[in-house]
Amino acid sequence: MDGRELKAYERFKEEAQFYRARAYDLEHQLRVLAPRSYRAHQKIDRLQQRVEKLAAENALLKQRVKDLTAQLTHQTKPKPAVPAFVKADACLSTRKKKPGRKVGHAAAVRPVPATIDVHQEVPVPIDALGKPSCPHCHTRLSDVHRHDRIVEDLIPSKVITTCYHTTSGFCPSCRKRVESRAEDQPPAADLPHAQLGLNALATAAVMRVCYRLPLRQITRLFMQLPGLKLSPGAIVKQIRRLSKWLQGQYDRLQLVLRAAGVVHADETGWRTNGKNGYLWTLTNARHTLFHIDPSRGGKVIVELLGKSFGREGNGKLVSDFYSAYDQLGGVQQKCLTHLLRELRDTVVKRPQLKDHAFFKRCKALVQAMLRLKHQRAQLSASAYAHRVRLLEARLDRLGAQPWDDADADRLARRLRKYRDKLTPFLHHADLDGTNNAAERALRPAVVMRKITGGSRSAEGARAWSILASVMRTAEQQGRDVLDTLKTLLRAAWAGENIGLLTDV
């Protein structure tokens, strides 16, 4: 090795020693600075989260400022007139009770099934020694427990096609051709396609009438669930057939309501084939009858209940103040809720009447009458009769006094006209002071009207009235609507008019 190579070697050696020392110093500094860097990064993360939170709060506050500014600007402008059909917003701050159950009240849960149809073992994996192990990492489990997890589910439905092999022949006595028929078999029809069976017919009718589904949605449900292909027109045709089979039940319901002790009656609009008509309802605690008619005249209610209804103590009628019901005799009770609603609507139209003596006294009197009815069981007969006489005296004074106001005088004349029809519910224990029962019966029909717009034909209106009457009555009696409909159809196909819904 010459001198030049020796010098290069020494220089390389010195550089290696320098870099080794430098690496040692840097490694020492890294050990010192690493924890500081970790803490700094954590602090940066916390500050970044705080910045994001403050930014969100800032955006929310900006939006609130914008909304309040718009509200103040809106308040300075004249408010447009609100249509009469628009209801006022409910004031949540005046809610009397918080929705839901009280704190500490037992939770409302679904009941445990009465029977278990299928028991299925769901084991965990086992290790080489046959011990339970984790399904993820295969570690042996400790503190092993068994559980019962109950699951309720539906069985996928399918279409079942049945061919009934029947026999027919001519009967010399009956002078007609007769044919054998199974219990669940619809009346035979010579058609190129298959007829709809009992379950399909009843299910389609319940979907249409009870659940108010449009016809095309019913066809989609039948196609998607059991795979049964139908057209909307087929459903309409089958519903009309069902109504003819249940015509006897409808007639029985009408007779039962004619002989009922108390009947609630009401009516609402119903269009048939684009023409205005009316849906009438008669109901009591266990039965309901619907009737669609182009007329709203008094002859309709007379035909439904009969001319003898209410005479000689036969039947009591609860209704609103529509004059058509006045053609019936006997005891009648006018709905006091309608009277309270009339008082409220008049005050809304004319706010200056809020403190008018007639409106304040009439409202207080009606509320006192309804309250006394609820207290009847808590009072003695003499005390109750005395309070009834006092209320009737207040009613007489209120109706006889002039009030120097057109609306007050109009309602006072109503009190005089229906004086004997405002208080019968105080004298008869089975009478209600309101017509809420009829309005509750009409509410599902009103929803149906909003969905469908009414009926397309008089036959369709008649069919809907019959089916709705039967199904509503079944619901009132706590029956399973689908099973009840099947039972009535079997009886109708067998030529029987059973009193399942009308026998008390």
Side-chain angles (χ1 to χ4, degrees), residues 24-304:
Y24 177 78
D25 293 339
L26 292 175
E27 185 178 357
H28 178 70
Q29 292 180 9
L30 181 61
R31 285 196 298 269
V32 175
L33 295 176
R36 298 179 182 177
S37 175
Y38 175 74
R39 289 191 294 271
H41 281 296
Q42 283 190 329
K43 185 175 181 180
I44 291 172
D45 291 339
R46 289 195 299 269
L47 291 175
Q48 186 175 1
Q49 293 177 1
R50 185 178 180 185
V51 168
E52 293 176 354
K53 181 178 179 180
L54 292 175
E57 293 178 353
N58 188 25
L60 180 61
L61 291 174
K62 286 183 178 179
Q63 184 62 36
R64 291 184 62 183
V65 170
K66 183 179 178 180
D67 295 340
L68 292 174
T69 303
Q71 185 177 358
L72 291 175
T73 305
H74 178 70
Q75 289 178 353
T76 57
K77 298 180 180 179
K79 295 184 178 180
V82 180
F85 60 84
V86 177
K87 293 184 178 180
D89 294 333
C91 183
L92 299 180
S93 60
T94 60
R95 189 186 296 273
K96 295 183 180 180
K97 58 174 291 188
K98 185 178 180 181
R101 295 193 167 214
K102 296 181 180 179
V103 178
H105 196 285
V109 296
R110 297 175 60 240
V112 178
T115 58
I116 305 296
D117 301 309
V118 178
H119 291 273
Q120 180 177 347
E121 291 291 335
V122 187
V124 296
I126 56 176
D127 56 13
L129 298 178
K131 301 297 183 180
S133 61
C134 176
H136 305 291
C137 65
H138 305 292
T139 304
R140 180 178 297 181
L141 300 178
S142 61
D143 193 20
V144 178
H145 296 278
R146 290 183 60 83
H147 307 276
D148 292 331
R149 309 299 187 190
I150 301 176
V151 177
E152 292 180 301
D153 203 353
L154 296 174
I155 299 176
S157 57
K158 66 177 181 179
V159 177
I160 297 179
T161 304
T162 304
C163 180
Y164 294 98
H165 301 280
T166 65
T167 303
S168 67
F170 182 79
C171 176
S173 298
C174 299
R175 306 299 299 172
K176 64 180 181 180
R177 194 168 191 85
V178 295
E179 182 180 352
S180 61
R181 187 187 61 81
E183 182 183 18
D184 291 345
Q185 176 192 352
D190 294 327
L191 298 171
H193 54 76
Q195 295 180 254
L196 291 181
L198 177 66
N199 293 321
L201 289 171
T203 303
V206 170
M207 286 182 179
R208 180 60 174 172
V209 179
C210 284
Y211 302 114
R212 301 173 285 278
L213 291 181
L215 296 173
R216 296 190 183 277
Q217 289 190 13
I218 297 176
T219 60
R220 293 193 189 102
L221 279 174
F222 272 105
M223 190 63 193
Q224 292 171 1
L225 297 180
L228 180 61
K229 187 175 181 180
L230 288 174
S231 66
I235 298 176
V236 173
K237 182 178 179 181
Q238 298 304 325
I239 286 178
R240 292 182 183 177
R241 295 182 70 199
L242 288 176
S243 67
K244 294 179 180 178
W245 289 324
L246 298 177
Q247 177 68 52
Q249 296 297 322
Y250 184 82
D251 296 337
R252 291 177 69 102
L253 286 175
Q254 184 174 1
L255 293 176
V256 167
L257 286 169
R258 285 184 175 185
V262 178
V263 175
H264 293 253
D266 202 359
E267 79 290 331
T268 187
W270 188 278
R271 291 171 66 85
T272 302
N273 196 22
K275 297 182 179 180
N276 292 332
Y278 300 92
L279 171 63
W280 296 76
T281 183
L282 305 175
T283 186
N284 62 7
R286 292 179 56 83
H287 309 91
T288 295
L289 183 83
F290 293 106
H291 172 73
I292 297 176
D293 199 283
S295 173
R296 199 188 177 203
K299 62 179 182 179
V300 179
I301 190 66
V302 173
E303 291 176 358
L304 290 176

Side-chain angles (χ1 to χ4, degrees), residues 13 100 223 226 273 321 356:
K13 186 177 179 180
M223 190 63 193
N273 196 22
F321 290 91
H356 194 280

